[in-house]
Amino acid sequence: MTNAIEIEDLRKSFGPVEIIRGVNLELRRGERHALIGPNGAGKSTLFHLISGRLPATSGKIRLNGHEIQGKSPAEIAHAGLSRSFQITNIFPEMTVLENLRCAVLWKLGHRYSVLRPIRRLRDVNAECERLLVELGLQDRRAERADTLTYPEQRALELGLAVASGAGTLLLDEPMAGMSHTETAAALDLIKRVTEGKTLLMVEHDMGVIFEVADRISVLVYGEIIATGTPEEIRANPAVQEAYLGTATEEAA
Amino acid sequence: MGIDVLSFSILNGILYGMLLFLLASGLTLIFSMMGVLNFAHASFFMVGAYFGYALSGRIGFFPALIVAPVLVGGIGALVERYGLRRVHKFGHIGELLFTFGVAFVIEEAIQMVWGRSPQNFEVPAALDFTAFTLFGTGYPAFRVFMLVVSLLIFGGLALLLTRTRVGLVVKASLTHPEMVSMLGHNVPLVFMAVFGVGSALAGIAGVIAGPLLVTQPSMAAAIGPILFVIVVVGGLGSLSGAFIASLLVGFIQTFAVAINTSVADVFGLFGIDTAPTFLGPLFTDIWSVNVAQIGPVVPYLLLVLILLFKPSGLIGKRA
Amino acid sequence: MANTVLENATAAPVAPEEPHVLRSGETLPWIVVLVALVALPLVFTGGSQISTLNYLGVMAIFALSYNLLLGQTGLLSLGHATFFGLGGFAATHAVLGFAEAGVNFPLPLIPLIGGVVAFVLGIFGGWLASGRGGMPFAMITLGLSELVYSASNLFPSLYGSEEGVSMDRMDLGSSFGMDYGANSHIYVIVADCLVISAVVLKYFTTTPLGLLTNAVRDNAERVEFLGFSARRVRMWAFAVAAGFAGVAGSLAALNVEIMTVNELGAATSTLVLLMTYIGGTRTFFGPVLGAVVIGLMRIWLSDITPAWMMYFGLLFIFVVMAVPGGLAEMLQGGRRLITSGLLRAQLRPLAGVALAGAVGFAGTVILVELGYRAGLDASLGPAIRILGLPLDTTRPLSWGLGLVLVAGGGWALRQQLDALATRRHALAQPHREAVQ
């Protein structure tokens, strides 16, 4: 069985500065993998490289065995990868329902279609209905996305990523900016909607990480210094020195 | 084409290219720093020409060369402060629409004050002589003066950008637009200044071009689209790209006027003298086209070619 | 600011509006349009009046097509007239060609030819222009449009020389019981095309592709991550818009029986932008409203004042700065205000706003008219009657009056808008508590 994602010696430079310095990473199919590291370690950049938002300088990325580096975000989405963004990236002037409709169109095969009105497409309606319930947004379906509360917008952000039906999901700080109670609810939601999918997520909240992740990789200054189960990472002296020591204090 | 025509065309091409760059540089600076494509830029150029015309009648051409751009820059700053800044919240389309409206109103205002016919903006007497004679044809001193002024401003800008702190900030904003606001500069003031200076540059171009091009209400609409071609062909936000594209367009347009060859002449070289009518009237049209007619079309063809083969422009940083 | 007037009109917790931007028009505008299309030719029966109606209908289709780009896809095209003109020339040559070949092609189907030609050209143009949205799109459409315009004098057999290409719409003979000599016969075609275009364009907004155009407007980047190519979405929107612009251009050609290259020039592109934006890009029928209002202003205002273009420009800037939703949203705001039942409580500050606005407007008119009389029309003499007042461009008092009115009106407007906002805030408060 091939891995969901395989990254080989991936590098990215901005001008003279190398931000990603030879990353190697394997995501096993179906695992929940967390990416942690101090600010500026290159976590978001790595996400941008995998999802095609930025081109890599060198190296290889394989998704389900197919090489995807150098491809456009749309092509990578077709190959079965979907992502959410750290800064909420939804369709602000459209309703919640319309947001989700856009996200399910591709996988249901209604691509650039003008053959029928969208509200007559049963598969789209059923799928959106299911997602609305799952995301807890069924009462907000007719609201414009920019009028939602922050946690609701984050849920919709997650929903757009999940709705595309991709087997592999990249979640960039899905709980960023949430309170404790909101985080707990969001964590619950993430667990539910990503059931059975391969997950790579960046998160700062160590409590969340250790609760949700099967494995953890630690990215420091553009390099992965350790990969392992939460216990292994907790016990790893290099990680403690480079990162965890300060981070757990912060979290406490 | 003889050597005489060739040398004059090169001179005129550089002249026209530098004039275009005077305009394109202001447009690029404003675009790079503020993210605003100023549709009214060519209108400020026109206002410069009209102010130059009106003022040189009262205070003389050379004082007008200073005063008119200052006034135009002031108008530009006011437009930024009381107009553009307020529509900023509506996003780029809102800003674009606003400057479009300003261009429209300026064109009307010009007609309101000076009427619809061309103005008699004469070359100042001090510069109304032949600078030098080449192959028996004289080259007017005013054109030399235009070239010198453009080159001086070009040099001044280059020095400003490479040697001063202001230049550093501007250059930083060219490459990393999001960084400037983090540097602790008074961004609204910087924007107002940049918009004012950009407009003033267009104003200078207007004053020196007024006597040569015709000072009339349509001059903005005539040069505006060419500017956008230059900015796109050069690569959005790239000053060096704008420079190359300006000269390119300058040469294309001057040489097209100078070359008096038609498609028929080319075929004539092969002994084909009459248009083959069996290919239809459209072909007969092409048959009689001469290069001078193609001149105005070429910049836009260049645009299409660039879009097809190098969409980011000649020196495009932002794809 | 005047936009607060409109936004706050909804502050009262009325039933949640259908929030989708292009759906808020509901059915009333459709009824109004249909009734107007039937009633207008019964009221205005003169040949030139009907021709004016035809012109307005043509512009309505043109503006509707433009809004598919501007309002729906968020694309500012500065070269939409290219397709209006090319469609018109295609239609003209089609009529000429069929007439020469002796084919009795039904005239009402000619706009279809213009539309298809423009659609096909629109696919190519759209592909070129759609790589990026925003400013690059605006510049590229301008460049492409100038390319077609400047190349037109290379092809006199296609575009005619200076006087354009003319044709006789009766050359194709009768069909559907009409010989198309009378303007009212053309009106039948224009009205039908308007209804069909509106229905098709409205239908388009409900399809998956139509939804994606909204998504591209809102957030083109995210569309890519959902698997779609923003460029392809833009390209199709561009092509469809071009097609309907071609239909409008064909109808224009049938109405006046002549096409000139001016129809595909920058002035026509500007006109459709002004019409659409002033009418309102956020409502489906806003552009139709704009086409009618601006179209009529163009005809009437140009008779009374040399400054009509200036008024267009100022109105446009006012709408851009203060009422980005355009006239249609102003109307909707007014309607909501009346149905909310809170009109009476706000009557006083609203009247204040209206009065202050009127004073400022009067001052603007005085200054503009004086300006034109002092400059462009100086040969007509300094004495001029503006808004019934005997003024004189040589008297400082006349200018002073205009300045005072503008400044005073502007100052008062700001005060009154503040008062209105306070009042509305107060009105909305108890309701909010009641809801919670």
Side-chain angles (χ1 to χ4, degrees):
Chain A
M1 185 170 112
T2 55
N3 287 319
I5 291 182
E6 286 168 357
I7 298 174
E8 257 175 54
D9 195 29
L10 191 69
R11 290 172 188 277
K12 174 67 184 176
S13 306
F14 292 98
V17 189
E18 196 169 45
I19 300 288
I20 299 294
R21 307 189 298 167
V23 162
N24 292 287
L25 184 65
E26 285 182 358
L27 240 68
R28 296 174 191 151
R29 194 171 300 275
E31 78 168 330
R32 293 196 175 119
H33 200 114
L35 187 64
I36 63 174
N39 283 329
K43 301 183 296 288
S44 282
T45 306
L46 184 58
F47 266 33
H48 293 336
L49 295 178
I50 300 172
S51 62
R53 195 187 209 189
L54 292 173
T57 310
S58 69
K60 281 195 167 51
I61 310 169
R62 277 186 292 274
L63 177 67
N64 304 323
H66 303 286
E67 299 210 348
I68 55 167
Q69 84 274 15
K71 298 225 159 110
S72 74
E75 288 167 322
I76 293 171
H78 303 164
L81 183 129
S82 182
R83 67 165 296 180
S84 74
F85 292 80
Q86 185 185 348
I87 297 161
T88 307
N89 200 352
I90 52 183
F91 303 109
E93 289 184 32
M94 294 163 68
T95 67
V96 171
L97 179 60
E98 287 168 337
N99 267 271
L100 290 173
R101 278 174 170 170
C102 285
V104 303
L105 280 176
W106 186 272
K107 76 171 169 194
L108 296 175
H110 306 290
R111 299 167 190 173
Y112 313 103
S113 153
V114 289
L115 297 179
R116 286 161 72 191
I118 204 161
R119 66 194 143 74
R120 296 268 174 77
L121 299 171
R122 277 210 194 115
D123 48 354
V124 172
N125 289 334
E127 181 65 6
C128 289
E129 222 41 56
R130 187 184 70 75
L131 284 161
L132 282 169
V133 173
E134 203 162 35
L135 298 167
L137 293 171
Q138 60 268 51
D139 297 334
R140 310 287 273 162
R141 71 177 70 207
E143 302 293 326
R144 262 171 63 138
D146 56 2
T147 63
L148 299 180
T149 65
Y150 181 70
E152 285 172 338
Q153 288 191 353
R154 293 306 292 175
L156 183 57
E157 172 78 41
L158 178 69
L160 288 186
V162 173
S164 68
T168 305
L169 291 173
L170 308 186
L171 304 183
D172 197 349
E173 299 200 29
M175 278 82 146
M178 287 192 185
S179 70
H180 265 291
T181 41
E182 288 165 354
T183 301
L187 183 61
D188 213 42
L189 177 64
I190 290 175
K191 281 187 184 163
R192 243 185 306 130
V193 297
T194 62
E195 191 65 52
K197 303 198 180 207
T198 310
L199 193 64
L200 177 63
M201 66 186 276
V202 168
E203 187 49 60
H204 279 299
D205 189 323
M206 286 303 135
V208 170
I209 299 283
F210 284 106
E211 189 183 334
V212 79
D214 301 319
R215 290 201 302 157
I216 297 173
S217 289
V218 185
L219 187 70
V220 177
Y221 294 118
E223 284 173 288
I224 294 209
I225 61 165
T227 296
T229 62
E231 291 69 35
E232 287 166 357
I233 292 298
R234 218 191 290 261
N236 187 318
V239 175
Q240 282 177 350
E241 187 188 336
Y243 178 61
L244 267 187
T246 50
T248 36
E249 273 163 34
E250 269 173 32
Chain B
M1 177 191 288
I3 183 86
D4 49 343
V5 179
L6 183 70
S7 8
F8 280 110
S9 295
I10 289 177
L11 268 177
N12 287 335
I14 293 175
L15 176 63
Y16 189 49
M18 289 305 297
L19 191 69
L20 288 174
F21 181 66
L22 256 185
L23 287 165
S25 58
L27 194 63
T28 300
L29 279 182
I30 292 172
F31 175 77
S32 306
M33 295 205 61
M34 308 175 59
V36 175
L37 186 80
N38 180 18
F39 253 94
H41 201 69
S43 309
F44 288 124
F45 164 75
M46 176 162 74
V47 174
Y50 272 91
F51 280 8
Y53 160 71
L55 287 170
S56 45
R58 295 190 174 83
I59 57 175
F61 179 80
F62 295 100
L65 184 58
I66 309 291
V67 178
V70 170
L71 290 177
V72 175
I75 293 176
L78 288 178
V79 164
E80 199 282 329
R81 172 67 185 81
Y82 293 102
L84 204 51
R85 198 174 296 178
R86 296 192 178 181
V87 297
H88 183 71
K89 58 176 179 285
F90 303 134
H92 284 325
I93 293 284
E95 292 170 335
L96 208 53
L97 287 167
F98 174 76
T99 59
F100 187 80
V102 170
F104 191 91
V105 167
I106 287 179
E107 189 173 326
E108 285 310 309
I110 291 281
Q111 295 182 41
M112 176 174 95
V113 179
W114 284 283
R116 297 200 163 88
S117 36
Q119 300 300 310
N120 185 23
F121 191 174
E122 282 177 346
V123 172
L127 290 169
D128 198 7
F129 60 92
T130 304
F132 57 86
T133 308
L134 206 63
F135 308 109
T137 314
Y139 198 73
F142 188 73
R143 290 189 176 226
V144 177
F145 171 76
M146 282 174 74
L147 194 56
V148 170
V149 171
S150 321
L151 287 172
L152 278 179
I153 291 172
F154 177 63
L157 265 183
L159 277 180
L160 188 79
L161 286 181
T162 50
R163 296 288 158 83
T164 66
R165 191 175 151 70
V166 177
L168 277 179
V169 176
V170 172
K171 270 203 327 197
S173 76
L174 292 176
T175 44
H176 303 287
E178 68 288 343
M179 291 291 285
V180 177
S181 57
M182 297 175 197
L183 294 175
H185 293 277
N186 183 344
V187 173
L189 192 68
V190 170
F191 279 6
M192 198 168 112
V194 166
F195 204 87
V197 169
S199 310
L201 280 179
I204 297 178
V207 181
I208 60 173
L212 191 70
L213 308 176
V214 188
T215 301
Q216 56 185 348
S218 64
M219 68 193 293
I223 210 162
I226 300 274
L227 280 184
F228 295 129
V229 168
I230 287 171
V231 174
V232 173
V233 167
L236 271 177
S238 160
L239 267 182
S240 40
F243 181 66
I244 297 170
S246 299
L247 286 180
L248 197 60
V249 171
F251 278 119
I252 288 172
Q253 297 215 316
T254 31
F255 272 91
V257 177
I259 303 170
N260 197 12
T261 314
S262 72
V263 176
D265 293 339
V266 176
F267 280 99
L269 295 177
F270 302 100
I272 308 170
D273 290 327
T274 45
T277 46
F278 59 88
L279 286 172
L282 209 58
F283 191 81
T284 321
D285 285 349
I286 296 174
W287 187 262
S288 52
V289 163
N290 66 38
V291 174
Q293 276 178 295
I294 297 179
V297 185
V298 176
Y300 303 111
L301 268 180
L302 189 65
L303 173 79
V304 172
L305 290 177
I306 284 283
L307 287 177
L308 285 174
F309 298 110
K310 202 164 181 310
S312 57
L314 292 176
I315 307 196
K317 278 173 286 192
R318 295 185 206 161
Chain C
M1 301 257 58
N3 56 327
T4 49
V5 181
L6 304 165
E7 281 161 14
N8 290 351
T10 49
V14 287
E17 285 275 329
E18 267 285 13
H20 187 290
V21 280
L22 285 169
R23 206 181 297 145
S24 45
E26 311 126 28
T27 48
L28 184 67
W30 286 91
I31 297 168
V32 172
V33 167
L34 286 174
V35 169
L37 282 177
V38 174
L40 285 173
L42 302 176
V43 180
F44 302 98
T45 48
S48 67
Q49 287 176 328
I50 299 279
S51 181
T52 301
L53 290 180
N54 290 345
Y55 168 76
L56 296 178
V58 166
M59 284 300 150
I61 298 174
F62 192 24
L64 271 178
S65 78
Y66 188 71
N67 202 38
L68 170 54
L69 293 176
L70 185 57
Q72 215 187 316
T73 319
L75 294 172
L76 175 61
S77 166
L78 294 170
H80 202 47
T82 302
F83 299 99
F84 180 83
L86 290 178
F89 277 106
T92 306
H93 284 291
V95 170
L96 291 172
F98 284 129
E100 198 178 297
V103 180
N104 189 1
F105 190 88
L107 196 72
L109 297 185
I110 288 290
L112 196 63
I113 296 177
V116 168
V117 169
F119 175 75
V120 172
L121 293 170
I123 292 178
F124 180 66
W127 181 69
L128 277 178
S130 300
R132 287 169 288 175
M135 313 239 170
F137 180 87
M139 288 197 277
I140 291 164
T141 49
L142 179 70
L144 291 179
S145 168
E146 289 291 323
L147 172 65
V148 174
Y149 183 72
S150 60
S152 64
N153 70 358
L154 303 183
F155 303 105
S157 67
L158 207 58
Y159 298 105
S161 33
E162 311 239 311
E163 69 276 12
V165 183
S166 44
M167 49 100 160
D168 186 342
R169 65 197 182 205
M170 291 174 75
D171 277 355
L172 293 190
S174 307
S175 49
F176 302 101
M178 295 181 285
D179 66 1
Y180 309 110
N183 283 336
S184 56
H185 293 177
I186 303 300
Y187 180 84
V188 174
I189 306 179
V190 172
D192 287 334
C193 280
L194 175 56
V195 173
I196 293 169
S197 302
V199 168
V200 173
L201 284 167
K202 181 72 194 178
Y203 168 80
F204 183 80
T205 66
T206 67
T207 62
L209 182 58
L211 184 68
L212 286 171
T213 60
N214 288 167
V216 165
R217 173 200 63 203
D218 273 18
N219 190 346
E221 190 195 27
R222 186 69 192 237
V223 171
E224 299 267 344
F225 284 98
L226 295 178
F228 291 95
S229 153
R231 181 177 198 162
R232 256 176 87 174
V233 174
R234 289 190 197 106
M235 181 194 82
W236 285 119
F238 192 90
V240 172
F244 282 98
V247 170
S250 309
L251 292 168
L254 295 186
N255 189 32
V256 294
E257 299 183 287
I258 185 169
M259 280 301 290
T260 65
V261 288
N262 284 338
E263 308 294 338
L264 46 80
T268 313
S269 293
T270 304
L271 181 65
V272 74
L273 167 59
L274 293 191
M275 283 178 166
T276 308
Y277 197 80
I278 290 174
T281 56
R282 298 177 188 178
T283 6
F284 185 75
F285 275 113
V288 173
L289 182 64
V292 171
V293 171
I294 299 295
L296 287 178
M297 272 173 72
R298 224 169 94 107
I299 296 165
W300 288 336
L301 213 54
S302 61
D303 280 344
I304 4 177
T305 164
W308 59 285
M309 293 273 275
M310 176 63 99
Y311 290 126
F312 280 175
L314 293 176
L315 175 63
F316 179 68
I317 290 184
F318 171 77
V319 172
V320 168
M321 293 187 71
V323 211
L327 299 179
E329 212 163 81
M330 279 174 100
L331 281 184
Q332 279 185 344
R335 212 177 106 203
R336 258 183 252 131
L337 190 64
I338 292 166
T339 50
S340 70
L342 294 172
L343 178 61
R344 183 178 289 266
Q346 306 175 21
L347 219 47
R348 220 196 59 82
L350 273 176
V353 169
L355 191 66
V359 169
F361 176 70
T364 311
V365 170
I366 288 175
L367 286 181
V368 169
E369 293 297 332
L370 280 175
Y372 272 86
R373 183 51 69 94
L376 184 70
D377 286 341
S379 58
L380 297 176
I384 179 173
R385 188 166 275 276
I386 304 167
L387 302 173
L389 301 169
L391 300 177
D392 192 313
T393 57
T394 55
R395 294 205 329 248
L397 204 63
S398 296
W399 294 92
L401 176 67
L403 282 175
V404 166
L405 289 181
V406 166
W411 178 80
L413 189 61
R414 185 165 285 195
Q415 305 294 314
Q416 293 301 318
L417 282 174
D418 282 347
L420 184 63
T422 317
R423 187 92 193 95
R424 283 192 172 152
H425 193 69
L427 283 172
Q429 228 41 54
H431 282 276
R432 260 186 216 139
E433 279 154 24
V435 171
Q436 284 161 0

